[in-house]
Amino acid sequence: MSLIIRDVSKTYPNGVHALNSIHLEIPNGMFGLLGPNGAGKSSLMRTLATLQEPDTGTIEFNGFNLLREKMHLRSMLGYLPQEFDVYPKISAEDLLSYLAELKGVSSRRERQALVEHLLTVTNLYDVRKKAVAHYSGGMKQRFGIAQALIGQPKLIIVDEPTAGLDPEERVRFHNLLADIKDDVTVILSTHIVSDVSDLCQSFAIINKGEVLSNQTPQDALRGLRNKLWEKRIPRHASVELPLDRLVSMHLSMGDQIVRFYGEDLTALGAELTQPTLEDYYFITIKGLTL
Ligand code: ADP
């Protein structure tokens, strides 16, 4: 395990218990942190990025104490915060070069090569002279990743990176993350389940500051095999639904498509269907049991 989080808790001065005894072991590769808004994801991300102290607990990264050796951690950290507000009126090229200098890339030639590489992999080379403030949401996110990749980080933390991106921008952003080397630990915090199913080798679900689940997407889906049921309910029909079995409802061509979790729900007129990670997410968050 590259990152070991033990018993981390945080209560803010206003009394909100944002993190309650978080325990997570995170391997190299892409790790997804899923949870609804207010679950505690950003609080955990900021703690891992050494921007805030937990009240209790320890965090180890590749064998060293992350909370004690903050400067060491920062030298190998790439962080894309949720609110990434960049300086206005500075071109992407100049801003990356400036940030690279801050991160210790002191040779001008090295900096130029690095900036060119980052602009190319994030597909921003053609707009490198444009002020980052005038970028679209997707371009800003890619710029955010470019700056997070400066200095060959070993730990990359990206907080809600795809919120607000259009589908094409999301795919481009996913491809960019998927290209990061395997020996790097990438933590992707999101409330969008498909970010995790598309990208992550393992993931955790947190809610109300607690870890509810931590496993691989494959194992999560295996556990739901033959337990996911679906029923189409025509528009305007009134049907009583068993709430303790109800996973989700969505509209399809005007009808309600309802998904249930259970052993045998043929009596409801439902049919077995393929489980998805989204089903797993809802079942976990709602605490449904068999
Ligand atoms: P998420 O990133 O999953 O949306 P957060 O970590 O931002 O969750 O928030 C977890 C809880 O802590 C929420 O109830 C939020 O309102 C609260 N919170 C977050 N930051 C602060 C802060 N600086 N001061 C007080 N409460 C906070």
Side-chain angles (χ1 to χ4, degrees):
M1 289 299 154
S2 75
L3 185 66
I4 304 173
I5 302 167
R6 290 194 192 94
D7 198 29
V8 163
S9 296
K10 174 76 182 175
T11 302
Y12 288 111
N14 61 0
V16 173
H17 298 296
L19 301 173
N20 284 322
S21 273
I22 296 280
H23 190 105
L24 278 176
E25 303 200 355
I26 299 179
N28 284 344
M30 293 278 283
F31 184 85
L33 189 67
L34 262 178
N37 287 331
K41 303 183 295 298
S42 292
S43 298
L44 185 59
M45 300 293 97
R46 286 197 300 269
T47 309
L48 295 175
T50 72
L51 295 175
Q52 73 180 41
E53 295 271 341
D55 300 330
T56 61
T58 59
I59 306 175
E60 222 176 82
F61 180 61
N62 288 342
F64 73 87
N65 184 326
L66 179 150
L67 295 173
R68 271 209 213 115
E69 299 178 58
K70 291 200 178 78
M71 292 316 286
H72 187 44
L73 186 276
R74 286 176 195 166
S75 71
M76 50 177 82
L77 173 72
Y79 179 47
L80 173 57
Q82 194 170 6
E83 309 279 335
F84 186 71
D85 245 329
V86 284
Y87 315 121
K89 307 275 161 44
I90 300 177
S91 75
E93 190 174 41
D94 289 348
L95 188 51
L96 280 179
S97 178
Y98 171 71
L99 293 170
E101 198 171 351
L102 287 185
K103 271 218 171 172
V105 188
S106 51
S107 141
R108 199 186 154 92
R109 181 179 296 211
E110 235 178 86
R111 254 195 339 266
Q112 265 175 352
L114 172 67
V115 167
E116 190 171 322
H117 168 73
L118 291 172
L119 288 166
T120 307
V121 296
T122 51
N123 204 14
L124 292 172
Y125 191 78
D126 291 348
V127 286
R128 67 191 181 283
K129 304 282 183 205
K130 195 170 164 166
V132 182
H134 298 149
Y135 275 6
S136 71
M139 285 154 72
K140 276 188 184 146
Q141 287 295 50
R142 278 183 279 134
F143 179 84
I145 270 290
Q147 64 78 30
L149 291 175
I150 294 172
Q152 294 173 322
K154 288 282 170 221
L155 175 63
I156 297 178
I157 295 174
V158 282
D159 199 353
E160 299 272 358
T162 59
L165 297 192
D166 68 35
E168 199 185 334
E169 285 172 334
R170 274 187 58 201
V171 169
R172 208 176 284 144
F173 191 76
H174 280 183
N175 289 337
L176 188 58
L177 288 178
D179 277 346
I180 294 173
K181 291 202 186 67
D182 289 343
D183 64 343
V184 175
T185 303
V186 183
I187 303 180
L188 171 75
S189 141
T190 181
H191 63 272
I192 300 169
V193 181
S194 61
D195 284 350
V196 171
S197 36
D198 289 354
L199 288 171
C200 298
Q201 289 98 330
S202 54
F203 74 110
I205 297 177
I206 71 169
N207 196 17
K208 299 185 181 140
E210 290 181 10
V211 178
L212 302 182
S213 158
N214 178 14
Q215 57 184 319
T216 66
Q218 292 82 348
D219 286 344
L221 290 180
R222 204 168 294 133
L224 296 186
R225 219 180 272 161
N226 297 327
K227 297 187 173 64
L228 232 291
W229 302 77
E230 188 174 279
K231 181 180 166 84
R232 176 179 284 266
I233 300 176
R235 184 191 328 216
H236 308 312
S238 96
V239 180
E240 210 154 298
L241 299 171
L243 290 181
D244 59 340
R245 298 271 144 252
L246 182 65
V247 177
S248 65
M249 290 163 75
H250 69 270
L251 284 171
S252 168
M253 291 180 270
D255 291 343
Q256 284 282 3
I257 306 292
V258 189
R259 291 170 80 85
F260 301 102
Y261 175 56
E263 294 287 5
D264 181 358
L265 300 178
T266 41
L268 290 175
E271 286 177 6
L272 260 184
T273 183
Q274 285 292 336
T276 65
L277 212 55
E278 191 162 72
D279 296 321
Y280 182 80
Y281 175 74
F282 286 132
I283 289 166
T284 307
I285 292 286
K286 292 181 176 183
L288 301 185
T289 51
L290 284 176

